[in-house]
Amino acid sequence: MLETMPRIGFGLWKIPREDTAANVIEAIRAGYRHFDSAADYANEAETGEGLAQAIAEGSVTREELWITSKLWNTFHAPEHVEEACRKTLEDLQVGCLDLYLIHFPIALEYVPIATRYPPEWLNNPESGQPEMKRARVPLHETWAAMEALADKGLVKRIGVCNYNSGLLHDLMSYARIKPAMLQIEAHPYLTQEKLIRLAGDYGMDVTAFSPLGAQSYFELDMAAEGESLLGTAPVMVAAQAHGKTPAQVLLRWGVQRGTAIIPKTTKPERMRENLDIDDFSLSAVEMAAISALNQNRRFNDPGVFAEAAFGAFHPIYD
């Protein structure tokens, strides 16, 4: 298995289940070796089919792949963490994950796999009054169960998603196995300099999800068309200067500042375009101009979408 995570990964969020296996195979043919999955994406079984087919065809070996997945909120209790991990391993058709992350610092009441999988956010979606039910599970208990997965060889590394600086400080005070990765939303409208610097001080790598910003959120009505980064002046100027697309400039900005990125697309030409960012570098002036676009604009915020969609006010960012 790979010892170093490829800096450009293939994000599997929002890829339709019926298209997932074919997209995974196409992504491998395009050159992707890092796949970012999660139980909540509802396509891990199909991801596993695509990975297995590509391996069977000889397009890639398991040892050449880096596979990340995430523990969902309803499996935070220590007695359910291994159950969730083993379900992901079964669906992805692998014996071990390269990286397993706590998806959100949000514990919800357990929903058995046989009852509903993935459980998603609502405890009882079939009822007349569905609700998001919090569970009284401290994060340190969940982390200890994550460490047990590493001890058993089910995962090579463990980490966290969507943690803020206070939670990172707390985690590092009790972690026996230190987190290898922090995955957060980061793009020029949400640069997160302090959090990324803190992760680095603690020896954690950082993966930026939604590296193109609003593009992932238009179809979810979580971003307005006018919030696209692709047409902003610093990005357009850099794209013209380097003969690249605005999307490539944004992805290059993410990699050049030291984060890994996991763009998502279902278009083969875009898959290749997103990988083709190693033949140019942005100048210090270009990097600064793009970073200056920061508005602290977070598109993926449970404090907003959970209330709008589920009637539950559950902020995790101030």
Side-chain angles (χ1 to χ4, degrees):
M1 298 173 74
L2 295 176
E3 290 303 317
T4 303
M5 187 179 77
R7 305 304 286 179
I8 308 173
F10 188 77
L12 290 151
W13 181 45
K14 295 197 294 87
I15 295 184
R17 181 176 292 175
E18 63 273 15
D19 300 331
T20 301
N23 274 273
V24 167
I25 293 168
E26 187 62 41
I28 288 173
R29 290 171 180 165
Y32 289 88
R33 296 296 180 265
H34 166 195
F35 289 85
D36 185 85
S37 183
D40 189 55
Y41 299 168
N43 58 12
E44 286 202 318
E46 293 75 18
T47 296
E49 292 170 8
L51 294 172
Q53 184 175 332
I55 291 170
E57 291 174 350
S59 299
V60 72
T61 65
R62 171 64 184 97
E63 291 70 29
E64 294 173 316
L65 294 171
W66 179 288
I67 302 174
T68 296
S69 188
K70 308 176 188 75
L71 176 78
W72 185 240
N73 305 340
T74 53
F75 299 105
H76 273 217
E79 63 269 25
H80 300 310
V81 170
E82 184 174 332
E83 172 193 13
C85 181
R86 288 190 180 277
K87 172 62 172 169
T88 279
L89 291 172
E90 177 186 351
D91 284 349
L92 292 176
Q93 300 186 41
V94 296
C96 177
L97 293 171
D98 296 273
L99 177 64
Y100 198 44
L101 306 172
I102 295 176
H103 202 150
F104 283 97
I106 299 173
L108 299 179
E109 281 196 14
Y110 174 65
V111 176
I113 290 173
T115 299
R116 186 175 66 256
Y117 190 85
E120 300 182 316
W121 291 87
L122 294 174
N123 181 268
N124 50 350
E126 69 288 339
S127 75
Q129 294 182 311
E131 56 187 326
M132 194 176 112
K133 291 187 178 180
R134 298 183 181 93
R136 293 172 59 87
V137 183
L139 285 169
H140 73 85
E141 292 186 3
T142 306
W143 187 256
M146 296 282 284
E147 292 173 326
L149 298 178
D151 292 338
K152 292 181 178 181
L154 297 175
V155 303
K156 289 197 70 174
R157 301 162 192 83
I158 51 178
V160 294
C161 296
N162 301 301
Y163 270 43
N164 59 30
S165 57
L167 288 178
L168 280 191
H169 288 305
D170 187 56
L171 172 60
M172 296 303 289
S173 74
Y174 58 73
R176 175 175 59 86
I177 298 176
K178 303 303 181 184
M181 182 68 65
L182 169 67
Q183 186 176 126
I184 53 172
E185 179 182 348
H187 44 73
Y189 278 162
L190 183 68
T191 54
Q192 305 242 52
E193 280 103 346
K194 289 181 180 178
L195 185 54
I196 291 172
R197 178 181 173 184
L198 179 63
D201 285 348
Y202 276 133
M204 301 173 64
D205 287 328
V206 176
T207 298
F209 70 78
S210 302
L212 299 178
Q215 303 304 120
S216 296
Y217 300 94
F218 293 144
E219 65 193 84
L220 302 174
D221 293 326
M222 294 165 65
E225 290 290 336
E227 293 183 288
S228 174
L229 281 160
L230 298 179
T232 55
V235 173
M236 294 288 287
V237 168
Q240 185 172 8
H242 295 281
K244 292 291 184 176
T245 67
Q248 287 173 314
V249 168
L250 289 170
L251 298 180
R252 181 66 202 178
W253 175 86
V255 168
Q256 201 166 311
R257 70 199 296 250
T259 65
I261 54 173
I262 44 173
K264 167 258 177 183
T265 183
T266 57
K267 296 181 171 64
E269 64 274 15
R270 289 284 173 79
M271 292 180 190
R272 290 163 174 79
E273 177 185 308
N274 291 346
L275 281 176
D276 186 23
I277 60 171
D278 288 332
D279 59 349
F280 76 106
S281 294
L282 298 170
S283 69
V285 171
E286 290 169 330
M287 288 291 292
I290 294 170
S291 296
L293 292 168
N294 182 54
Q295 303 174 4
N296 296 321
R297 172 65 166 107
R298 190 184 303 277
F299 296 104
N300 196 323
D301 187 347
V304 176
F305 71 71
E307 185 170 27
F310 316 125
F313 181 56
H314 197 107
I316 58 174
Y317 311 110
D318 295 331

